[in-house]
Amino acid sequence: MGNDLFSVSRLLFCGADVYMMFRFFAAIYPFKTFGRKRQIISIVITLLIFFENAIGSVSLNFITVPLFCYVYALLLFKISFSNGIAYTIIYFAFVGGKEVLFELLYRFLSYNLPIYIPPWFTSGGIYFLILEYIVGFLFLLYIEKYIKKINIRNNNVFSWYLLIVPVLSLAISSSFLYMDFPKSIVLQIFMCGGAVLLYLSNAAIFIILEKYTDMMNKIKYAELYSVKREMENDHFQNILKINDHYRCFMHDVHSYFNSFRLLALNGENQKIVEIIDELKGKIQDEINNVIYSGNPVFNAILSERVSKAKELGVEFSIFIEKNINLDFISDSDLISMFGNLLDNALEAASKCEPQKRIVRIKLFMGTNYFLIFRIENSFKVKAIKEGDKLLSTKEDSKHHGLGVGIVTSLAEKYGGSLNLVQKETLFITTLTISAFTEERCANFGTQRV
């Protein structure tokens, strides 16, 4: 039974490895490439694994095969770099657990029965490899049946916690290989049975954790959706209010013209100008309460904060680039990022003396690919510095400090960052977000309330 590494059967096994990994990731993440391009990538990765295995180096195989599979996942699926690493490790923990399980079973059979099990790299070992692959594929189907129903977010940090169970179970089962195989058949059955149960329960725990993650995501989005609906309803009511105002205005136009005619006949031209300016101001005030951008959720966020600023006596200046596109940011993330930052700015400014309560915001494209949201607000109580971090000055700082943490996490999700700078009289917050969109119009507009 000579070396058979370059045989067609070995190439088929490498193809089976790639196919099972493809099924695993396809059950979790959407595709990024399709058709012939996907097939070419799969064939290339299969050949790379095949020739790498032909070298016969276990240490090289341990490093390069997971790396090939990681690249394969990034090329074929819409998956983040961090989640790609996490789920590649999870997948190979399952694969490694299968190999350890069969190694223990082979020892048990060889020890108790007159059976010779040839090494895997010989032609005689193909039949045993087929059995291993069948079991591995059934195991994959068992996992796939459940995780296909789960909506896993690509920015989910919880994915790293899923590494604990499969990696630890692999470490425990692998330690069996370095122990002397017990002579007692009862202990042998106990060791092999434990490995089987550990392998199967590993998948069950993984599915439970995934379901828990999905449940927490649904709860969060349900809460944010409720907030979004309330804000959109407020936005809609404001629009209705403006429409009513315009209808009333148009209804009174005839009366206004009759008055203008009489005033003009009496030479009261200045009075006519004053009336027109007053009407224009009233209409503009209503418009300024709503129309900030083309995004209704962002409008609702600003409208609510404008009203809050008036209640607190804060001068609220808004600078919005015209035709700016916020559609690439999800509604829930808009509420979390902009809402948190504006609330913090208003609260800090409201503690100042009445004539020094200022909040100035700017939203514009720094370049064609970066959106910048800048807030300048006055403050009375200086933030506490701990290294490079600014800590919350609120009484319940443990919980209130979560707002900045949430915004920072969301900024990183969109390839951006959150920068906080404390100067003598102003606190400057700069939120930068990556936006790979088409070139936007460079016209600008400023509104003051």
Side-chain angles (χ1 to χ4, degrees):
M1 293 181 290
N3 192 299
D4 194 39
L5 284 176
F6 282 102
S7 67
V8 176
S9 60
R10 300 295 171 182
L11 180 60
L12 292 176
F13 282 123
C14 292
D17 286 329
V18 174
Y19 174 71
M20 286 195 289
M21 189 185 64
F22 171 83
R23 291 285 297 260
F24 176 76
F25 280 96
I28 305 174
Y29 294 102
F31 293 114
K32 184 165 64 177
T33 57
F34 300 89
R36 183 169 296 180
K37 185 177 180 181
R38 183 198 300 174
Q39 296 173 359
I40 293 173
I41 294 173
S42 300
I43 292 172
V44 170
I45 295 296
T46 300
L47 292 175
L48 287 174
I49 295 175
F50 173 72
F51 287 113
E52 192 280 328
N53 283 337
I55 298 174
S57 172
V58 177
S59 57
L60 182 63
N61 183 74
F62 182 78
I63 296 172
T64 56
V65 173
L67 180 61
F68 291 153
C69 294
Y70 172 65
V71 173
Y72 179 71
L74 292 180
L75 291 176
L76 258 65
F77 301 97
K78 294 179 181 179
I79 183 172
S80 64
F81 291 104
S82 59
N83 271 20
I85 295 173
Y87 281 94
T88 299
I89 295 174
I90 289 171
Y91 174 75
F92 276 95
F94 290 151
V95 172
K98 177 199 68 177
E99 293 179 356
V100 169
L101 171 61
F102 272 91
E103 177 63 27
L104 290 174
L105 292 176
Y106 292 154
R107 288 187 183 184
F108 176 78
L109 294 175
S110 299
Y111 197 91
N112 295 284
L113 298 173
I115 298 176
Y116 172 72
I117 300 176
W120 65 270
F121 53 83
T122 62
S123 57
I126 290 177
Y127 305 106
F128 294 94
L129 271 180
I130 292 174
L131 178 62
E132 289 185 29
Y133 274 80
I134 291 174
V135 173
F137 185 70
L138 293 175
F139 181 76
L140 175 63
L141 292 178
Y142 170 70
I143 298 176
E144 184 181 301
K145 176 182 177 183
Y146 294 95
I147 59 178
K148 266 188 173 181
K149 304 175 184 178
I150 301 174
N151 179 27
I152 300 173
R153 295 176 61 194
N154 208 14
N155 66 317
N156 189 8
V157 180
F158 194 73
S159 298
W160 288 95
Y161 294 104
L162 298 176
L163 289 172
I164 297 174
V165 175
V167 171
L168 287 181
S169 63
L170 177 61
I172 294 171
S173 57
S174 298
S175 65
F176 294 160
L177 300 178
Y178 297 94
M179 300 179 183
D180 293 332
F181 204 64
K183 296 180 179 180
S184 171
I185 190 171
V186 175
L187 293 178
Q188 292 174 8
I189 294 174
F190 180 78
M191 179 180 288
C192 293
V196 172
L197 292 176
L198 187 62
Y199 182 61
L200 296 178
S201 61
N202 185 21
I205 294 174
F206 173 76
I207 292 171
I208 291 172
L209 290 175
E210 286 284 19
K211 284 186 176 291
Y212 172 77
T213 306
D214 182 60
M215 179 183 67
M216 296 303 295
N217 286 337
K218 288 179 178 177
I219 292 174
K220 177 182 177 182
Y221 276 105
E223 294 174 349
L224 290 175
Y225 181 76
S226 176
V227 174
K228 174 197 167 187
R229 295 296 298 177
E230 291 178 2
M231 296 181 74
E232 287 183 334
N233 182 63
D234 291 341
H235 175 66
F236 180 70
Q237 295 300 325
N238 286 334
I239 292 176
L240 291 179
K241 183 179 178 182
I242 290 179
N243 289 338
D244 289 340
H245 181 85
Y246 274 112
R247 282 197 295 268
C248 292
F249 173 75
M250 295 304 296
H251 180 268
D252 293 337
V253 164
H254 183 70
S255 298
Y256 287 133
F257 277 113
N258 285 334
S259 299
F260 293 157
R261 181 176 178 276
L262 292 174
L263 290 171
L265 291 174
N266 295 327
E268 298 286 344
N269 295 331
Q270 183 61 34
K271 190 65 176 178
I272 295 174
V273 173
E274 291 177 0
I275 294 174
I276 292 174
D277 288 342
E278 181 182 355
L279 291 173
K280 182 180 177 182
K282 289 180 179 180
I283 296 171
Q284 188 62 41
D285 285 342
E286 295 294 336
I287 294 175
N288 287 341
N289 284 335
V290 175
I291 304 174
Y292 301 103
S293 79
N295 186 290
V297 175
F298 185 60
N299 277 336
I301 293 171
L302 289 181
S303 295
E304 183 180 351
R305 271 61 184 191
V306 166
S307 299
K308 186 175 181 181
K310 289 180 179 179
E311 293 175 3
L312 297 173
V314 177
E315 180 186 343
F316 200 70
S317 176
I318 303 175
F319 179 89
I320 305 293
E321 178 179 345
K322 289 184 178 179
N323 301 320
I324 200 163
N325 183 13
L326 298 175
D327 293 341
F328 68 95
I329 305 175
S330 71
D331 294 334
S332 60
D333 291 344
L334 274 175
I335 295 170
S336 294
M337 286 191 291
F338 296 108
N340 270 308
L341 295 180
L342 289 172
D343 286 340
N344 288 343
L346 286 170
E347 183 173 351
S350 67
K351 296 178 181 178
C352 298
E353 297 176 6
Q355 65 274 17
K356 294 182 180 180
R357 296 174 183 175
I358 299 171
V359 173
R360 295 191 289 263
I361 73 169
K362 295 180 181 180
L363 181 64
F364 58 95
M365 295 300 298
T367 66
N368 290 335
Y369 302 106
F370 280 94
L371 178 74
I372 297 176
F373 184 60
R374 179 184 173 93
I375 304 177
E376 297 179 357
N377 64 271
S378 56
F379 66 93
K380 184 177 181 180
V381 181
K382 289 188 175 182
I384 303 170
K385 291 197 71 173
E386 186 179 272
D388 295 331
K389 293 183 178 181
L390 294 174
L391 304 181
S392 174
T393 57
K394 301 173 185 178
E395 294 181 2
D396 188 11
S397 59
K398 178 180 178 182
H399 293 92
H400 283 96
L402 293 175
V404 174
I406 291 171
V407 177
T408 301
S409 177
L410 290 173
E412 292 174 353
K413 169 185 173 181
Y414 289 96
S417 62
L418 178 65
N419 186 39
L420 306 175
V421 177
Q422 183 175 252
K423 294 188 176 181
E424 290 185 3
T425 58
L426 288 177
F427 193 90
I428 302 174
T429 303
T430 306
L431 174 65
T432 304
I433 300 174
S434 176
F436 294 98
T437 55
E438 297 180 357
E439 186 174 352
R440 294 170 172 81
C441 178
N443 296 324
F444 295 90
T446 303
Q447 298 174 335
R448 180 176 294 275
V449 295

